[in-house]
């Protein structure tokens, strides 16, 4: 008896498929079957040809297909400040240059346009989801939706006024209103985003914690980024920031701790015991001379780790292939062990680790039946990538974002043959130049 052929939206055949789940698996000559934006099958190509008829059939004979990358920490709109004030320590960079520029220029239009620019850059580099923290979150959300990328929109909170809000109560009220307006958008999720322990009071942290528990949102904040941050906390509060957060009850599986560069053994243990996640941002940490996060020790304790680019103002690229390579190499140097963090582990950080931190791992982060078809294809047909003995090794140590050929978000193609679909690159470059002329000192 002949098995009936099922009509589906998309079948992608690839030379290699790296599903991320199960761990360290590489499938050869397999196919991913997509219908209504979701993965419905993962099977050998010959079986796919027998069982499915596709409206769109993509053959990627010299490619690796992997889950879309998850950028666990960025300030997308700050792409308009790329290169504005380089080669400075963090606090000088913030206080003397970035914050004054933001005070002069940040508006709904700035955030919308800067986020559009960032979304285009991220999609071109295989990033299908980003976790944002910035002012005017509605403008960022609208830009993400227009770009067709998945986004976790941070509802920022700080104690000082800005062009967006007057005080912490105003920040939270406006942020929650945005969440209520956009709650039904399938490509959007939300995080509470208190900026850092040095910019948020205990009263306002308490409000954030209550809200996080009531509406079940992650809490996304900068933590233990610099030695100065730690010293200032000890002088002001008598304890280091992680201990302060611990006493306030903020350490939990909901916490996404960004940077965590300077940790002692007790602090690593606290993060592990409370199920916290870490957003590791190696390029930004190096550029601002903040240090190197101890991800080998964090990983050994079972802490969930994702990768972040930070902003284009402090990186200056929104490029997770660069972050994967740096994360692996720095872990080897810091630990003195070449096998400290292997290529598969780093790829997990860039995909499922980020998804898990955001509470999205049931939907994205791996190529698994039932999950959204957020996918990235990398072409290995390049002299710089030949020969290829191990595709996952290449993804970590050899591939660049220029090798990304196709990107799908929820089954919809966003990059095809290396070119953005439905995004006007020339128009975005002109828009960036207009902002450059406004911002230029």
């Amino acid at each position: 008896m002949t098995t009936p052929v099922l009509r589906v939206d998309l079948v992608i055949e690839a030379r290699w498929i790296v599903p991320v789940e199960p761990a360290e698996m590489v499938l050869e000559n397999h196919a991913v079957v997509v219908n209504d934006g979701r993965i419905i099958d993962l099977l050998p190509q010959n079986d796919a040809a027998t069982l499915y008829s596709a409206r769109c059939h993509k053959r990627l004979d010299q490619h690796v297909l992997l889950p879309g990358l998850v950028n666990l920490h960025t300030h997308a709109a700050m792409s308009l400040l790329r290169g504005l004030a380089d080669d400075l320590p963090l606090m000088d960079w913030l206080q003397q240059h970035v914050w004054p520029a933001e005070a002069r220029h940040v508006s709904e239009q700035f955030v919308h346009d800067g986020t559009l620019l960032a979304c285009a850059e991220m999609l071109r580099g295989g990033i299908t989801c980003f976790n944002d923290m910035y002012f005017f979150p509605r403008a960022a959300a609208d830009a993400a939706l227009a770009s067709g990328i998945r986004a976790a929109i941070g509802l920022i909170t700080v104690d000082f006024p800005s062009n967006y809000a007057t005080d912490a109560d105003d920040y939270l009220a406006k942020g929650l209103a945005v969440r209520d307006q956009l709650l039904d958008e399938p490509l959007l999720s939300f995080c509470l985003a208190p900026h850092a322990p040095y910019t948020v009071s205990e009263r306002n942290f308490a409000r954030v914690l209550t809200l996080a528990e009531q509406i079940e949102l992650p809490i996304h904040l900068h933590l233990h980024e610099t030695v100065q941050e730690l010293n200032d906390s000890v002088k002001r509060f008598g304890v280091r920031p992680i201990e302060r957060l611990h006493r306030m009850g903020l350490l939990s599986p909901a916490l996404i701790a960004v940077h965590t560069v300077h940790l002692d053994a007790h602090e690593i243990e606290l993060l592990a015991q409370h199920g916290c996640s870490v957003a590791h941002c190696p390029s930004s940490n190096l550029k601002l001379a903040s240090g190197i996060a101890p991800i080998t020790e964090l990983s050994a304790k079972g802490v969930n780790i994702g990768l972040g680019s930070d902003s284009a103002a402090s990186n200056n690229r929104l490029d997770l292939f660069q972050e994967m390579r740096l994360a692996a190499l720095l872990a080897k140097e810091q630990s003195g062990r070449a096998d400290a963090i292997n290529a598969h582990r780093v790829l997990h950080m860039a995909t499922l680790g980020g998804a898990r931190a955001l509470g999205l791992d049931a939907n994205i982060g791996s190529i698994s039946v039932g999950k959204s078809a957020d996918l990235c294809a990398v072409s290995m047909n390049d002299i710089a990538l030949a020969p290829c003995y191990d595709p996952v090794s290449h993804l970590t140590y050899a591939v660049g974002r220029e090798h990304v050929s196709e990107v799908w978000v929820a089954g919809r193609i966003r990059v095809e043959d290396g070119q953005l679909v439905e995004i006007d690159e020339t128009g975005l470059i002109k828009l960036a130049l207009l902002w450059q002329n406004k911002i230029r000192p």
Side-chain angles (χ1 to χ4, degrees):
M1 183 174 178
T2 304
T3 303
V5 173
L6 180 64
R7 185 76 168 161
V8 296
D9 293 334
L10 174 65
V11 171
I12 308 168
E13 296 180 354
R15 172 69 179 83
W16 298 280
I17 295 176
V18 184
V20 176
E21 278 183 312
E24 306 210 3
M25 175 180 282
V26 177
L27 302 172
E28 297 191 47
N29 301 314
H30 273 57
V32 173
V33 183
V34 177
N35 203 47
D36 293 330
R38 296 206 164 267
I39 299 164
I40 66 166
D41 211 342
L42 173 58
L43 71 173
Q45 291 175 12
N46 290 339
D47 294 343
T50 301
L51 296 173
Y52 299 101
S53 170
R55 296 174 184 86
C56 178
H57 199 138
K58 196 75 175 179
R59 290 182 175 86
L60 303 173
D61 296 334
Q62 301 182 72
H63 299 67
V64 183
L65 187 69
L66 60 147
L69 305 179
V70 179
N71 187 350
L72 189 54
H73 175 68
T74 192
H75 313 278
M78 292 180 77
S79 289
L80 292 177
L81 302 178
R82 190 195 317 264
L84 179 67
D86 283 340
D87 305 323
L88 295 171
L90 174 64
M91 296 316 295
D92 286 350
W93 177 76
L94 281 174
Q95 295 171 354
Q96 303 303 318
H97 299 275
V98 171
W99 287 345
E102 288 177 328
R104 290 191 299 270
H105 299 291
V106 170
S107 63
E108 286 188 65
Q109 196 64 51
F110 176 99
V111 172
H112 181 268
D113 294 351
T115 304
L116 280 178
L117 185 65
C119 290
E121 180 184 357
M122 287 189 281
L123 283 168
R124 280 274 301 269
I127 295 168
T128 56
C129 177
F130 70 101
N131 183 27
D132 200 38
M133 177 195 286
Y134 209 59
F135 308 104
F136 297 100
R138 176 59 194 254
D142 287 344
L145 290 172
S147 303
I149 195 171
R150 194 178 300 277
I153 301 297
L155 310 180
I156 192 168
T157 305
V158 293
D159 284 353
F160 54 80
S162 69
N163 298 339
Y164 169 56
T166 56
D167 57 22
D169 291 339
D170 195 23
Y171 283 102
L172 288 171
K174 288 178 174 175
L176 292 171
V178 170
R179 175 183 174 271
D180 291 344
Q181 294 160 11
L182 299 173
L183 201 54
D184 294 330
E185 290 289 349
L187 293 183
L188 298 182
S189 60
F190 298 88
C191 291
L192 290 164
H195 173 261
Y198 56 87
T199 55
V200 178
S201 69
E202 293 191 9
R203 171 193 176 273
N204 294 324
F205 267 128
R207 288 207 62 207
V208 166
L209 178 59
T210 298
L211 286 169
E213 292 173 344
Q214 288 175 341
I215 55 181
E216 297 183 344
L217 291 185
I219 299 173
H220 171 208
L221 82 162
H222 302 88
L223 187 63
H224 281 230
E225 185 174 1
T226 65
V227 172
Q228 181 179 342
E229 174 193 345
L230 306 188
N231 292 340
D232 289 348
S233 179
V234 171
K235 289 177 185 176
R236 186 176 173 191
F237 302 107
V239 293
R240 284 155 63 107
I242 283 180
E243 179 59 31
R244 181 171 165 238
L245 295 185
H246 182 216
R247 294 178 184 183
M248 288 188 282
L250 280 147
L251 300 189
S252 78
L255 183 67
I256 304 170
V258 182
H259 299 298
T260 60
V261 172
H262 303 282
L263 300 174
D264 61 28
H266 174 64
E267 290 159 346
I268 292 171
E269 192 66 42
L270 279 176
L271 293 175
Q273 286 176 358
H274 290 86
C276 305
S277 291
V278 162
H280 180 36
C281 305
S283 291
S284 179
N285 293 341
L286 290 175
K287 184 164 182 276
L288 295 170
S290 298
I292 303 171
I295 63 164
T296 304
E297 292 87 344
L298 287 163
S299 183
K301 289 292 184 179
V303 174
N304 179 56
I305 301 170
L307 295 181
S309 64
D310 212 331
S311 77
S314 67
N315 186 316
N316 301 37
R317 298 158 62 97
L318 309 180
D319 181 354
L320 280 202
F321 286 100
Q322 175 174 269
E323 303 309 323
M324 281 196 284
R325 177 177 167 82
L326 269 178
L329 296 181
L330 290 173
K332 297 173 193 306
E333 164 59 25
Q334 190 180 53
S335 66
R337 289 174 39 218
D339 61 350
I341 299 288
N342 69 19
H344 281 273
R345 182 75 187 111
V346 171
L347 181 60
H348 182 282
M349 293 176 189
T351 54
L352 194 57
R356 187 165 291 155
L358 294 170
L360 299 177
D361 51 311
N363 191 42
I364 63 170
S366 64
I367 301 177
S368 304
V369 172
K371 287 194 177 185
S372 180
D374 290 17
L375 304 165
C376 168
V378 173
S379 173
M380 294 293 183
N381 187 26
D382 188 304
I383 194 168
L385 303 179
C388 180
Y389 300 109
D390 180 346
V392 179
S393 172
H394 265 28
L395 290 173
T396 299
Y397 299 115
V399 161
R401 62 182 179 181
E402 67 274 13
H403 298 116
V404 172
S405 61
E406 273 78 26
V407 175
W408 292 266
V409 179
R412 186 167 177 177
I413 196 154
R414 294 302 179 185
V415 175
E416 189 166 24
D417 296 327
Q419 300 300 310
L420 290 163
V421 176
E422 300 180 10
I423 293 177
D424 178 6
E425 290 190 48
T426 302
L428 279 178
I429 293 170
K430 290 179 179 177
L431 189 63
L433 290 174
L434 288 173
W435 277 106
Q436 178 183 336
N437 290 333
K438 291 180 185 178
I439 295 167
R440 187 193 303 272

